Amino acid sequence: MKLRIQRKISTLALCVSALFGCNDSALADTSSGETVQNTAALSIEDLTTKQLHRFLNQASFGPTPALMENVDAFDLQTWLTEQFEAPVTSHEALYLELGNGLQSTREDAWLEIAALGDDQLRQRVAFALSEVFVISRYSDIHDRPQSMTNYYDLLVYGAFGNFRDLIEKVSLHPSMGTFLTMINSKKENSETGTQPDENYAREVMQLFTIGLYQLNNDGSIQTDSSGEPIEAYDQEDIRNVAKAFTGWVRDSSDSLYVKPMVAKDSNHDESEKVVMGHVIPAGQTAEQDMSDVMDILFNHDNTPPFFAKHMIKRLITSNPSPEYIERVANVFIDNGEGVRGDLRAVIEAILLDKEALAQDENNPPIKIKEPAIVVVNLFRALDLQLTTGRVSNSDIPFYRVGQGPLRAKSVFNFYSQDHSPIGTDLYAPELQVMTWPNFVSSFNYMRTFIAKWRTPTLPNYSYYKAAGDDMDEFIRRIGLVFFGGDIDPNLEAVLRTHIKSIGGKPKNEWAVEQLMEYIISAEDFYVQD
């Protein structure tokens, strides 16, 4: 038992216990009975329901009954190829179609696409990117929801492109320029006291590309002879990047803040800049200086492991092994065809790694779900229905669960990726937002949804009611869609007891609603494993 528990500590059982309390299922041996092959040309035979369930949680906004019932015909590589090539669903297009022009309309568009969109992988990756390249409605862009929607689409369309292109587009978007105050930054003027704005210069390095300290390719921090972390950059680097970023203003024809910023060279600092040992020559334009800084950051040794670690932790596991990070970082460095920063290749490497597929029993992929993800998981598991054809009032669930798209209170996102709950040396970043009060509030919101108190967003219980009077089939369907066929025996016992107490027939809608309350209170529903 001691060895079993020690092995399963790495599955975040202790972190789950910090919030919900452990049970036998939290310590279950997830390695048994699952055989996969992980090679350069991945082939997975006899895909199990657990594997498919895990994969859909990693690569989409959650399993649906239709996808889970199709396990025998589901092929991971085929699905990925189809998703990479699927038509892009635009948030801005839906936002404009919905009309109202409010922040809530922007969020309605996001929720509808997340729950019902066909390009699930692209949308899931874009959400992860939005938690790296953060902007927020809680800032000076609050009254510019279309600009924020346009920015989000930049992440959607760039999700499978090249990192070098994406980071420059992020840098030049007026929403980012406003949020991190690079827009209208001017060269130094001793007479007026003007100084280049250093805000974006700092964050583009610290949070978006290279991080605070020099990294090894496996994401570990390099140290000096005294054992102290080696800084990746210093204040002088920040000052010089800020000088390089002067001169960018809003396009005069762009009242909606949806076009890339343009250069006003009279505001640009044309002096020589030295950034982390790289010389940016004097006399260059704002465009040239911007391009040079982007190249420096893109080609920095830190960027591959820094980005790989962020994306793995947002999609797969809170505690990736150094080897996993390095494998993905190597794909960032070279996609196999000599291309650096190929995000499609990076995402594929993340999802098809042996650690993501639970082939490495010493490092099982597990993480706490983010509150917003939990809600969308429920919508998809219950075949979300829209009585008016559109999602509305999405600000209600996002307010209740304490999280939503582009709603972070600061550029540091909703949580630190290095958050470790008291009592463990494991990371569980999402527990910073999935607190006990947040869990209660999230549960109460979802309870109103399953009881059909929130219109026009309603559950569809047809799949579960189709089990008829067959209790075993009903339990199978619940276990399949919500837990990948691995339902907690304690929860199963509770469900069976309740079904017996109401006559042994779960086919009535009111009965299914009651049983769903047990599902959304089960700790396993809040854990991605």
Side-chain angles (χ1 to χ4, degrees), residues 35 106 119 133 304 438 504:
T35 57
R106 174 185 67 81
D119 53 338
F133 308 121
N438 231 19

Side-chain angles (χ1 to χ4, degrees), residues 132-133 163 201-215 219-222 229-234 237-238 276 296-298 300-310 412 417-418:
V132 178
F133 308 121
F163 185 88
R202 181 179 296 104
E203 307 307 356
V204 74
M205 293 190 287
Q206 178 181 346
L207 301 177
F208 297 174
T209 54
I210 64 174
L212 290 171
Y213 304 110
Q214 295 284 4
L215 302 176
S220 58
I221 296 175
Q222 297 181 17
I230 301 173
E231 293 184 348
Y233 58 88
D234 58 23
D237 293 317
I238 295 172
M276 292 177 285
I296 291 168
L297 297 177
F298 176 60
H300 195 286
D301 288 343
N302 274 23
T303 301
F306 182 87
F307 183 72
K309 182 177 180 180
H310 272 71
F412 294 97
Q417 74 161 3
D418 296 323

Side-chain angles (χ1 to χ4, degrees), residues 115-158:
L116 302 174
D118 292 329
D119 53 338
Q120 280 287 305
L121 177 59
R122 181 182 291 276
Q123 299 296 335
R124 184 64 187 87
V125 171
F127 183 66
L129 291 171
S130 76
E131 295 188 320
V132 178
F133 308 121
V134 176
I135 65 169
S136 174
R137 62 178 290 178
Y138 301 115
S139 68
D140 289 344
I141 55 175
H142 174 76
D143 60 349
R144 300 192 181 279
Q146 184 173 346
S147 178
M148 294 180 65
T149 308
N150 181 273
Y151 174 82
Y152 197 92
D153 268 357
L154 184 156
L155 305 179
V156 171
Y157 281 91

Side-chain angles (χ1 to χ4, degrees), residues 92 146-147 150-151 154 165-178 182-184 247-264 287 290:
E92 188 174 14
Q146 184 173 346
S147 178
N150 181 273
Y151 174 82
L154 184 156
D165 298 331
L166 181 62
I167 188 61
E168 183 161 340
K169 289 178 180 177
V170 163
S171 300
L172 293 179
H173 197 282
S175 267
M176 179 61 77
T178 303
M182 189 182 83
I183 198 168
N184 298 323
W248 292 98
V249 300
R250 177 179 62 87
D251 187 318
S252 60
S253 67
D254 181 27
S255 61
L256 297 174
Y257 281 60
V258 295
K259 297 179 181 179
M261 294 185 291
V262 296
K264 185 177 181 180
E287 289 97 334
M290 170 65 70

Side-chain angles (χ1 to χ4, degrees), residues 337-352:
E337 299 178 357
V339 177
R340 184 182 180 92
D342 178 355
L343 296 183
R344 172 171 172 166
V346 168
I347 297 304
E348 188 166 22
I350 289 172
L351 292 171
L352 297 184

